[in-house]
Amino acid sequence: MKRRDMLKFGVAGGAAAVAAPALAQGQPTIRWRMQSSFPRSLDTVFGGATTIAQKVSKLTDGKFEIQVFSAGEIVGPLQVLDAVQIGTIEAGHTAGFYYIGKMPALVFDTGVPFGMTPRQHNAWMRYGGGLDLMRDLYKQFNVVQIPCGNTGAQMGGWFRKEIKTVDDLKGLRMRAAGFLGSVFSKLGVVVQQIPAGDVYPALERGTLDAVEWVGPYDDEKLGFHKVANNYYAPGVMELGASLCFIGNEAKMRELPPQYREALEAACAEANLDMLAKYDAYNMQALRRLLAANVQLRFWSNDIMKALQTATAEAMQEFSARDANFARVHQQWKTFRDDQVLWSAVNDGAAERFLAANRG
């Protein structure tokens, strides 16, 4: 990646300074529509879209306005990529792993089981070649991708019954998105990919037995604890989930350079802000859930090892039948393995000590 692109992607403050409102003087007035894949009620994950729009407007002195729509207001939550590709809307706010059926390698844009933490993912994007790889993939859909948020590690999910062994997973009807579904399927789970707004009714009616969504703050808002009482950790299936802004390629080319700088800076700010919100709010929400008699449970080592084995098998199968997936997976895994080693030497080792010895 070119150094100029790195700076635009990662340094919100610096880019913002370049794209000061005064630079918008004499520039055209541009109005875009952007739909998110997420409901407005989730102020963290949907809030990233509003952060982008507000920052872009501020940095361009109101000359570049992006009107934000929530899931389903223009197209279906999982049709955002299609809508941006054909120009129904100029931009979208979504997650790459929703489009595994179109291009499996897009799951790496969001994250895969036993993958990278948000810090590691950002490092891969900025300095490990990840952004170039992802933009090459999205180019095939005539869109430009910009990372714009991360949920951090997600919980293992809500289950109607306690899961003690791998066999307890067999036959469960579970909502799980993207590559996660392929992994759970290997363990006998009947996987469904359902938008956020449809999950609670499905749990309430009993057509779902379990759901994996995000974490305590969002899950509490969606009310999953009212119909499925067993809440599992740790989130080995999603150590982080990165969101993306996608813009129609032709429309992106039409933007004045200052507007593109403002957009990159806004996405960088949203990327930082979303993770900070989740880190700040999740523990508070978990305390409220536990006070409401939610049963916090932890995956056994046997279950986590089975999930890890199933993940490796699924990776090999996707790589064998999809050249793009194989290319990205090989590069991604090399970078991920180094990050795991570095964490074992320093950050991860320190965090494990702190968790066991809180002073």
Side-chain angles (χ1 to χ4, degrees):
M1 192 196 316
K2 295 180 181 178
R3 183 173 183 273
R4 173 181 171 83
D5 289 337
M6 289 179 185
L7 291 173
K8 288 192 295 184
F9 164 62
V11 187
V18 172
L23 294 179
Q25 294 178 9
Q27 295 287 0
T29 297
I30 294 177
R31 300 287 182 264
W32 277 13
R33 297 191 304 169
M34 174 172 69
Q35 186 188 297
S36 177
S37 289
F38 308 101
R40 200 175 297 272
S41 60
L42 300 181
D43 58 296
T44 42
V45 64
F46 174 82
T50 58
T51 295
I52 292 168
Q54 291 168 1
K55 193 68 174 181
V56 164
S57 177
K58 183 176 181 179
L59 293 176
T60 61
D61 203 20
K63 292 292 189 70
F64 182 14
E65 295 283 351
I66 301 175
Q67 186 178 4
V68 179
F69 296 86
S70 64
E73 288 189 323
I74 299 176
V75 298
L78 308 183
Q79 297 172 327
V80 172
L81 178 58
D82 292 326
V84 177
Q85 180 181 6
I86 64 177
T88 302
I89 51 179
E90 290 82 7
H93 175 255
T94 189
F97 69 0
Y98 286 151
Y99 311 104
I100 186 173
K102 293 179 176 295
M103 181 176 284
L106 289 178
V107 299
F108 291 101
D109 187 33
T110 307
V112 296
F114 300 91
M116 299 192 214
T117 66
R119 271 183 57 190
Q120 293 165 349
H121 185 85
N122 279 338
W124 178 59
M125 282 287 186
R126 289 193 62 195
Y127 294 104
L131 188 59
D132 289 336
L133 284 169
M134 291 302 105
R135 286 186 173 172
D136 283 346
L137 297 180
Y138 280 103
K139 188 175 179 63
Q140 298 178 47
F141 298 93
N142 301 317
V143 305
V144 177
Q145 170 261 24
I146 307 174
C148 68
N150 201 302
T151 66
Q154 300 191 3
M155 291 287 283
W158 297 88
F159 293 78
R160 288 182 174 275
K161 68 176 186 178
E162 187 175 356
I163 307 299
K164 296 180 179 179
T165 69
V166 175
D167 286 342
D168 290 335
L169 292 168
K170 293 179 180 178
L172 286 183
R173 296 161 299 178
M174 181 179 184
R175 183 272 178 196
F179 194 79
L180 275 68
S182 300
V183 175
F184 275 113
S185 293
K186 284 186 166 293
L187 301 182
V189 176
V190 180
V191 173
Q192 301 178 43
Q193 183 161 288
I194 301 175
D198 298 333
V199 175
Y200 182 89
L203 275 173
E204 190 175 38
R205 291 193 303 267
T207 56
L208 279 180
D209 302 307
V211 57
E212 184 279 335
W213 182 246
V214 177
Y217 186 71
D218 283 351
D219 294 357
E220 180 189 30
K221 284 178 174 291
L222 293 173
F224 298 146
H225 60 289
K226 299 175 183 177
V227 285
N229 197 43
N230 299 284
Y231 200 23
Y232 274 84
V236 292
M237 299 299 280
E238 287 187 87
L239 279 82
S242 180
L243 276 65
C244 62
F245 169 98
I246 52 175
N248 179 274
E249 188 174 31
K251 292 296 183 180
M252 293 286 283
R253 284 198 303 268
E254 293 174 2
L255 288 179
Q258 293 90 343
Y259 290 13
R260 175 64 183 260
E261 292 279 355
L263 182 56
E264 296 268 2
C267 288
E269 180 167 317
N271 197 31
L272 176 66
D273 187 64
M274 183 181 295
L275 182 60
K277 283 180 180 176
Y278 276 113
D279 283 343
Y281 298 159
N282 270 333
M283 193 61 225
Q284 300 170 25
L286 181 58
R287 288 193 176 99
R288 292 193 296 270
L289 290 170
L290 295 178
N293 295 318
V294 164
Q295 299 299 308
L296 177 62
R297 303 190 188 278
F298 293 86
W299 296 124
S300 69
N301 283 337
D302 286 345
I303 290 175
M304 287 192 287
K305 287 177 181 177
L307 289 167
Q308 189 175 38
T309 298
T311 296
E313 291 174 357
M315 291 282 193
Q316 292 172 358
E317 292 167 2
F318 273 90
S319 292
R321 63 176 181 258
D322 188 282
N324 280 323
F325 192 97
R327 177 170 61 96
V328 176
H329 177 230
Q330 182 179 21
Q331 194 267 15
W332 173 92
K333 187 176 185 303
T334 298
F335 192 87
R336 191 282 309 268
D337 288 350
D338 274 351
Q339 290 297 299
V340 170
L341 288 174
W342 170 234
S343 177
V345 168
N346 197 44
D347 295 38
E351 288 167 4
R352 285 192 297 274
F353 175 84
L354 182 60
N357 298 277
R358 287 175 292 170

